[in-house]
Amino acid sequence: MHESRNQLLSALGRLAELLQRIGHPRALEVADHLVRFRQAPGQVLRRLNGNDWWAGAGSLAAETMADNPGLPEAVWRREVREFRELMIEIGEALQAEGAANPGISSWLLAFNNWNASEV
């Protein structure tokens, strides 16, 4: 398996765990992608490259800007930072696979800038 796919699977697993921890409504979807990847990697890659992950206000990428659901502020900041880091890993792995939604580059730039400036 390509290194990018190993990175992608690892990041997907950690993202599923994080989303479960914070009670995010898309946690099961991400976990399902992880399971289905072994049977239909091409189909999952297309889903991960889709607009519901990378384009617009309803995308998973945009969910990194969601309001704190009631966690202690330090915990929420740590979880959001990790959320962004995992989305960076997933986006970079998708780009390495050649499947790059036009929104990925913009999100990667934003996530890296926000994490670097502790936003």
Side-chain angles (χ1 to χ4, degrees):
M1 192 180 299
H2 298 205
E3 181 61 32
S4 61
R5 290 195 180 183
N6 288 333
Q7 177 185 2
L8 181 64
L9 286 172
S10 173
L12 271 178
R14 289 179 285 141
L15 181 60
E17 291 170 6
L18 180 142
L19 295 177
Q20 180 67 36
R21 262 194 328 266
I22 64 173
H24 194 280
R26 291 184 68 181
L28 291 176
E29 171 195 334
V30 174
D32 183 56
H33 287 327
L34 184 63
V35 170
R36 290 182 347 160
F37 192 89
R38 299 196 193 293
Q39 294 114 12
Q43 182 181 40
V44 173
L45 286 171
R46 283 189 298 280
R47 292 282 302 149
L48 297 178
N49 191 49
N51 287 343
D52 62 330
W53 274 66
W54 301 104
S59 69
L60 188 58
E63 290 290 317
T64 64
M65 299 183 299
D67 292 332
N68 184 338
L71 297 171
E73 194 57 35
V75 171
W76 179 243
R77 279 195 313 272
R78 184 184 71 233
E79 299 290 48
V80 167
R81 181 179 185 81
E82 184 178 350
F83 191 173
R84 290 176 186 156
E85 289 169 356
L86 291 168
M87 292 298 288
I88 290 168
E89 285 185 47
I90 291 166
E92 289 174 346
L94 288 169
Q95 288 178 325
E97 290 285 325
N101 183 295
I104 292 175
S105 294
S106 297
W107 280 112
L108 295 181
L109 179 63
F111 293 154
N112 281 305
N113 286 339
W114 293 337
N115 283 353
S117 60
E118 301 291 325
V119 172

